Amino acid sequence: VVATAITVLAVGVTPTAAQDRAVPTSIAQAQLSMAPVVANVAPAVVDIQTVGAAPARSVYFPGRPRGDARNVVSAASGVIVRPDGWIVTATHVVLGAESVVVELADTRRFAAEVVLIDHRAGLAILRIDIGPEALPFVPIGDSDQLEVGDLALAFGNPFGIGQTVTMGIVSALSRTLPEVSDFQSFIQTDASLNPGSSGGPLVAADGTLAGINTVIFSRTG
């Protein structure tokens, strides 16, 4: 388990204003559950399976690959951000992939099109064709409103064991990782992240998308 991870700044949260935030003053307040937020977000979190060449950079955590070097199968995560099947994930999840398959929370599987890869931001946009059906999605917020100390929920499928949620806080903002990107908008969180969580959403306490789980930074890598 990685105690501290860094997630790339994706596309925002809109938490309550700073002056409206308050430290719990009673046991009842301290025992409030994040279950309602999880219930809203979980249906929009997807598993992403790719087939292709092995990832070139070990600093990322694209899941535990299996197979030979020419046919590596990797598992990661993503999040639906529009009801017509638009999905955001991390760049390295789909980089070099020959095919991408998205599995929804209800276990349905769809071939995905890679619409855009933004190497500098570390983000990729996918799309699946689900016809006229409206899918559950996580609304995009304004990550510029995040503050150190805000609660953060990380969703993903670590080690392929199934959808998992971990909670932490925003540990730092505007981090830079020269070996990954010169884009100075990384959010550091202490929510636990592991292989397979790559590309999953980092969600604020109000249920909006704060960022995309992109890279872990630890002594072991």
Side-chain angles (χ1 to χ4, degrees):
V1 176
V2 177
T4 301
I6 294 178
T7 61
V8 72
L9 183 60
V11 273
V13 265
T14 310
T16 55
Q19 61 269 25
D20 297 330
R21 301 174 190 174
V23 174
T25 58
S26 68
I27 294 178
Q29 290 178 353
Q31 291 177 336
L32 291 176
S33 173
M34 299 300 291
V37 175
V38 173
N40 287 333
V41 172
V45 179
V46 301
D47 293 341
I48 298 175
Q49 298 175 3
T50 62
V51 177
R57 300 187 65 179
S58 61
V59 66
Y60 296 124
F61 51 100
R64 188 171 293 175
R66 55 190 184 275
D68 61 39
R70 293 168 298 174
N71 191 32
V72 175
V73 180
S74 296
S77 306
V79 59
I80 303 170
V81 294
R82 281 179 35 172
D84 54 350
W86 291 78
I87 295 165
V88 179
T89 187
T91 295
H92 67 274
V93 168
V94 297
L95 200 61
E98 297 173 6
S99 65
V100 180
V101 174
V102 168
E103 183 174 315
L104 304 183
D106 62 12
T107 72
R108 287 183 295 166
R109 294 164 61 88
F110 297 88
E113 173 192 3
V114 179
V115 178
L116 174 70
I117 292 180
D118 185 335
H119 293 279
R120 187 163 185 254
L123 299 176
I125 307 296
L126 313 180
R127 190 177 183 206
I128 57 175
D129 184 2
I130 42 82
E133 178 184 355
L135 293 175
F137 68 98
V138 178
I140 294 172
D142 180 5
S143 53
D144 287 344
Q145 299 302 312
L146 276 179
E147 292 187 4
V148 175
D150 283 349
L151 290 178
L153 298 174
F155 291 74
N157 181 16
F159 302 110
I161 62 174
Q163 190 178 114
T164 300
V165 184
T166 57
M167 187 175 80
I169 63 169
V170 174
S171 303
L173 295 168
S174 300
R175 290 293 198 204
T176 302
L177 290 178
E179 69 275 21
V180 178
S181 171
D182 65 350
F183 197 56
Q184 299 179 359
S185 293
F186 286 89
I187 304 166
Q188 182 179 338
T189 176
D190 64 348
S192 295
L193 299 170
N194 286 288
S197 297
S198 237
L202 185 74
V203 174
D206 65 352
T208 57
L209 183 63
I212 296 296
N213 303 329
T214 302
V215 59
I216 58 175
F217 192 80
S218 71
R219 292 181 184 276
T220 63

